Amino acid sequence: MDACVGCACAQRVWIVMEELQIPYTTTLVNARDKTAWYLKEINPRGKVPAIRDAATGAVVYESLIINEYLADRFDGAHALLPSEPAARATLRLWNEHLDTQLAPAHFTLLMNKNETQAVAKEEALRLALQRYEEGIVGPYLLGDAFTLADAAALPFFERLVFSLEHFKAARPLDDFPRTKA
């Protein structure tokens, strides 16, 4: 796995590889200075994470796509990627909500230095979190089993809680007990 230390997207992949007990080696990639070999052989976009399957030679990048590949290729008894189409669609909708609603709302609130925009940014985060609060089916996003949706969300929720408590003195999950659990 090619990764950048501390990258939430790389951590998504690491969680899945650990959950599936896939042997791997990590190559650290400088996010600001990608070498020519990486751009040519691994990811022409220069982003991390990326994987090269030693058995097949397949190169896959983009964390959510990597995780589906890993689940399809290695997941026997775990069922990180549900087999039924409706459950797969729900999983992908959770991932889409995370990447297009929650993560951007968190980041823009965290980086905000304009007090006149603070209330709107806090509301955007509250709405994104409300979707989790209302949509969680069980102890995990899709019910009783840990899935790729949970693996995708974990690094982002960890950052959400830590960064907003540390930098904004906010406790973002206090009003969302199901999500917090």
Side-chain angles (χ1 to χ4, degrees), residues 69-171:
Y69 173 84
L70 294 172
D72 282 339
R73 174 115 162 68
F74 298 100
D75 192 4
H78 292 89
L80 293 178
L81 186 58
S83 60
E84 56 185 57
R88 277 186 184 231
T90 300
L91 181 148
R92 290 178 179 130
L93 288 169
W94 275 120
N95 289 345
E96 189 274 340
H97 179 75
L98 174 68
D99 284 354
T100 66
Q101 303 300 310
L102 182 68
H106 167 225
F107 184 76
T108 58
L109 175 61
L110 182 64
M111 297 285 102
N112 183 45
K113 296 191 186 328
N114 182 341
E115 286 304 314
T116 62
Q117 296 178 354
V119 172
K121 295 187 183 305
E122 289 166 1
E123 179 63 9
L125 180 61
R126 189 192 70 71
L127 289 172
L129 288 169
Q130 189 64 39
R131 170 70 182 100
Y132 283 92
E133 191 69 12
E134 294 170 356
I136 293 174
V137 178
Y140 300 105
L141 290 172
L142 272 66
D144 291 329
F146 184 84
T147 67
L148 294 182
D150 302 294
L154 278 172
F156 287 89
F157 273 94
E158 180 180 67
R159 281 161 179 72
L160 172 83
V161 170
F162 172 80
S163 64
L164 292 180
E165 285 181 3
H166 184 76
F167 295 108
K168 299 285 187 179
R171 299 181 55 84

Side-chain angles (χ1 to χ4, degrees), residues 36-70:
W37 74 265
Y38 188 78
L39 295 169
K40 183 179 179 185
E41 296 177 32
I42 305 297
N43 187 345
R45 294 179 183 173
K47 295 167 52 178
V48 295
I51 64 164
R52 182 184 342 224
D53 186 327
T56 67
V59 173
V60 185
Y61 47 90
E62 295 299 327
S63 62
L64 297 176
I65 297 169
I66 293 169
N67 283 351
E68 285 201 24
Y69 173 84
L70 294 172

